[in-house]
Amino acid sequence: MHFTYFMPAKILFGRDCVAENASLLRPFGKKALVVTGKSSAKNGALSDVLSALEANGQKACVFDKVVANPTLACVQAGAEEARRTGADFVVGIGGGSALDAAKAVAALAYEPRADKDVFSGGWTGALPVAAVPTTAGTGSEVTQYAVLTDDFRRTKTSISSPAFFPGIAFLDGKYTAGLDKKITADTAADALSHAVEGMFTVKSTPVSDLAALESIRILFRIFPKIEAGSLADGDREELLYASMLAGTVIAQSGTTAVHAMGYPLTYYKGTPHGEANGVLLGEMLALCEERLPERTERILRAAGTKDVAAFKGALSRLLRGHARYEKSDLERWAEEASENPKLAGVTYRPDKEDILRMYLGSDILAEGANPER
Amino acid sequence: MHFTYFMPAKILFGRDCVAENASLLRPFGKKALVVTGKSSAKNGALSDVLSALEANGQKACVFDKVVANPTLACVQAGAEEARRTGADFVVGIGGGSALDAAKAVAALAYEPRADKDVFSGGWTGALPVAAVPTTAGTGSEVTQYAVLTDDFRRTKTSISSPAFFPGIAFLDGKYTAGLDKKITADTAADALSHAVEGMFTVKSTPVSDLAALESIRILFRIFPKIEAGSLADGDREELLYASMLAGTVIAQSGTTAVHAMGYPLTYYKGTPHGEANGVLLGEMLALCEERLPERTERILRAAGTKDVAAFKGALSRLLRGHARYEKSDLERWAEEASENPKLAGVTYRPDKEDILRMYLGSDILAEGANPER
């Protein structure tokens, strides 16, 4: 046994956790910049956070211009706003895009950098961040990563630092109650990909494997309810919990091949991040089964699926109606994904051919684009 | 679902983890006070730590006067030494006594207090602490507690603060390799009591339950090897891992009735802490079975024991030859333990009669002291 484990975020989980634990934000400073998207404001989270800050006598400005797959322009604008308003800390509210943007804003407000230097590492600190997820998928509330659109490398690239861990994560299932079926399914698939990918890296740990398997167990139990559109409040909570667990997994392991392969689908075609991972995950597991059968078996057992085909089938049903792509695109993306640094440390060691095989084996080819031709 | 989870210590686990990660101690400061006991120096941990500090160019003084169940006099002397030598941080090396003493020294060096004020709470900070456990039981390396002998209340009492969490926990199984069978068994029983007790408090969380059940699973798998004296290095590592997991459990939940009941055995009779908990744990589970059968069942399943009697039997074998007590003492201790604040928040709600029943039901009466008479 040889591992490192670190996840310093304080987790407050449960209904009304923001209001109940507002005072925990007091040590963060006098002025907050609340970073969110336009629609994240509609589920009650923003008003809860603003009330909490007001109760603490803390000033707040709202930067609600976060876009999906946040760009450098977006987070630079947020950082500029943080500096202009003299923010001592950042509260991120939203899905992965908003939370990741919040972390990047906190980093760039603390340490201004030109665009070309954002992805070069070596961050020395960041403003303190509190995170309020409003989707159940990202896990960003318990990780040290901020994933940004990277136009230099034409993909999404994460920046990371131990300083980016949110100090507090407030998880209240009610903020996810209004999510539609598509977003719920996509984000759940994202959480699943975190749990599964996290078990196939050299940085996986016994502690994170425990969290990963529990997350997989919960997600597969709830997938049919997502498909049926019959999620109860308790199911929403469980999804949020499973997503958080999977976040603690990637906080140790990082994400790997599936994320590297999924990013082009998002970067070039705008496919939602969770869908992109979810449609590729089954083929990854098929490859893992050949090379690391024992680990794969543990995952299948946790999922309650008898084999990889059943695992893939469950994801297909969850993501029914997903996007499809031209073979020529997949071939090009296989080149690109195989260059992604995320592939270092993947225990099943996929090469370029493996990546193309996973793309083509996934049921994502456009009609008529038969891989046999 | 409604819970708080927080465990900010960075865990470095594995052979030679101190040497491999020495540089992580650099940000702790220029001068260390190493807090340990006389015998903790003999397993290699002290020399590894001193080498690591030297490699970092950090000065070190050694305070090796920690006694079992550390007294206020002991930790006050350590704090005085920390101040005298201008220590910026503390490295604790040893079993629970040494690690808890290290935290108390770090607290009192940061914020000097008279003996009478040590147990009154409200700690504002502490010097940073790194922890190197040399037994597999305490879990102190991942908790915010320091348990001290409390002559005011004639028991052991913990002081606690989020500031007491070690910043780094170095867990290397080789430091536990030389432990004799008795200490190994006692400390393993302590770890088990953390895992089991932690599942019966209002502060238990789904995350800590996951860790608790895994810890129980591992401990019961290894108990027979402890009894047989046939522990391999890998088993020692697993014990250390299980103990750490159980530490993360009580970091959320605290300890409860078994610890409250065990402390008098240690305070008045010098019974090792782990033995004291271990001999009482079975009767606690019997009481839990009446009141919270579902939770009890999960524990029994993780332990692989078919019922509470089998669970008790396994502990009896592990702790064979344990101390015995007079009935009159147990009656007095039941009074004392029932006043312990640890009983607040115990989900199976033991009262004084329950506590006496647990004492008398445990197989710890002196020969001839028949509870029926």
Side-chain angles (χ1 to χ4, degrees), chain A residues 266-291:
Chain A
T266 301
Y267 185 84
Y268 294 108
K269 300 294 178 182
T271 301
H273 173 63
E275 177 192 313
N277 291 338
V279 293
L280 299 166
L281 194 58
E283 274 304 294
M284 185 207 95
L285 204 61
L287 186 66
C288 291
E289 192 180 35
E290 292 170 18
R291 300 182 186 178

Side-chain angles (χ1 to χ4, degrees), chain A:
Chain A
M1 234 186 270
H2 206 278
F3 67 87
T4 301
Y5 187 92
F6 186 49
M7 205 300 287
K10 183 165 200 161
I11 297 166
L12 284 311
F13 195 108
R15 194 165 186 90
D16 302 328
C17 62
V18 172
E20 284 174 7
N21 299 283
S23 66
L24 294 179
L25 286 171
R26 248 178 233 148
F28 280 52
K30 290 180 182 165
K31 283 189 189 173
L33 184 72
V34 179
V35 172
T36 187
K38 274 277 176 252
S39 63
S40 310
K42 292 180 188 154
N43 51 41
L46 180 61
S47 63
D48 283 358
V49 165
L50 293 176
S51 299
L53 295 170
E54 194 181 347
N56 290 341
Q58 293 165 310
K59 292 208 166 64
C61 295
V62 177
F63 177 81
D64 62 0
K65 299 181 179 63
V66 177
V67 293
N69 309 304
T71 57
L72 289 178
C74 163
V75 297
Q76 293 283 20
E80 173 57 33
E81 185 73 357
R83 286 191 294 271
R84 194 185 62 75
T85 58
D88 302 308
F89 64 106
V90 173
V91 183
I93 304 175
S97 294
L99 301 190
D100 286 2
K103 292 184 211 173
V105 165
L108 287 163
Y110 181 92
E111 185 187 326
R113 290 190 180 191
D115 283 0
K116 68 178 175 47
D117 300 322
V118 169
F119 296 111
S120 50
W123 293 92
T124 57
L127 298 185
V129 173
V132 187
T134 63
T135 63
T138 170
S140 179
E141 68 276 11
V142 292
T143 76
Q144 69 278 47
Y145 312 117
V147 186
L148 303 173
T149 293
D150 178 357
D151 288 322
F152 300 107
R153 295 173 55 246
R154 293 174 181 257
T155 183
K156 292 169 72 178
T157 299
S158 69
I159 61 173
S160 82
S161 161
F164 297 174
F165 272 110
I168 301 185
F170 293 104
L171 295 107
D172 186 334
K174 74 176 180 228
Y175 302 142
T176 68
L179 295 175
D180 67 24
K181 191 166 158 181
K182 168 73 178 147
I183 291 179
T184 305
D186 287 349
T187 47
D190 190 27
L192 181 67
S193 75
H194 296 160
V196 173
E197 285 185 77
M199 286 189 64
F200 291 103
T201 87
V202 294
K203 289 184 180 170
S204 80
T205 76
V207 185
S208 55
D209 289 350
L210 205 56
L213 292 167
E214 180 74 356
S215 181
I216 293 166
R217 221 169 272 132
I218 295 169
L219 291 166
F220 270 79
R221 197 167 66 217
I222 298 183
F223 281 169
K225 297 187 188 180
I226 299 176
E227 291 157 50
S230 65
L231 288 174
D233 287 352
D235 299 320
R236 290 277 185 194
E237 277 204 327
E238 293 238 47
L239 280 178
L240 190 60
Y241 174 63
S243 156
M244 181 277 288
L245 283 181
T248 70
V249 173
I250 57 167
Q252 316 312 315
S253 63
T255 56
T256 62
V258 168
H259 274 65
M261 291 166 64
Y263 286 158
L265 279 59
T266 301
Y267 185 84
Y268 294 108
K269 300 294 178 182
T271 301
H273 173 63
E275 177 192 313
N277 291 338
V279 293
L280 299 166
L281 194 58
E283 274 304 294
M284 185 207 95
L285 204 61
L287 186 66
C288 291
E289 192 180 35
E290 292 170 18
R291 300 182 186 178
L292 296 157
E294 189 274 336
R295 286 224 128 201
T296 308
E297 177 56 33
R298 288 172 71 192
I299 288 167
L300 292 174
R301 212 160 45 224
T305 48
K306 70 177 195 313
D307 53 24
V308 172
F311 183 98
K312 278 185 75 170
L315 276 168
S316 288
R317 287 190 298 277
L318 183 73
L319 301 170
R320 184 170 290 147
H322 60 73
R324 295 180 169 276
Y325 311 89
E326 297 301 325
K327 191 180 174 198
S328 56
D329 283 334
L330 296 177
E331 286 166 344
R332 189 162 45 88
W333 300 340
E335 295 270 350
E336 291 179 19
S338 69
E339 303 290 316
N340 195 305
K342 284 189 178 297
L343 266 57
V346 177
T347 45
Y348 55 91
R349 302 182 166 278
D351 59 20
K352 199 167 69 184
E353 285 64 44
D354 295 324
I355 291 192
L356 183 59
R357 183 151 68 101
M358 288 191 274
Y359 270 132
L360 296 179
S362 301
D363 176 31
I364 56 173
L365 273 177
E367 312 277 348
N370 184 338
E372 301 308 312
R373 274 189 295 185

Side-chain angles (χ1 to χ4, degrees), chain B residues 7 9 20 69 86 99 132 141 149 167 195 218 228 274 287 296 317 334 341 369:
Chain B
M7 205 299 287
E20 284 174 7
N69 308 304
L99 300 190
V132 187
E141 69 277 10
T149 293
I218 296 170
L287 186 67
T296 308
R317 286 191 297 278

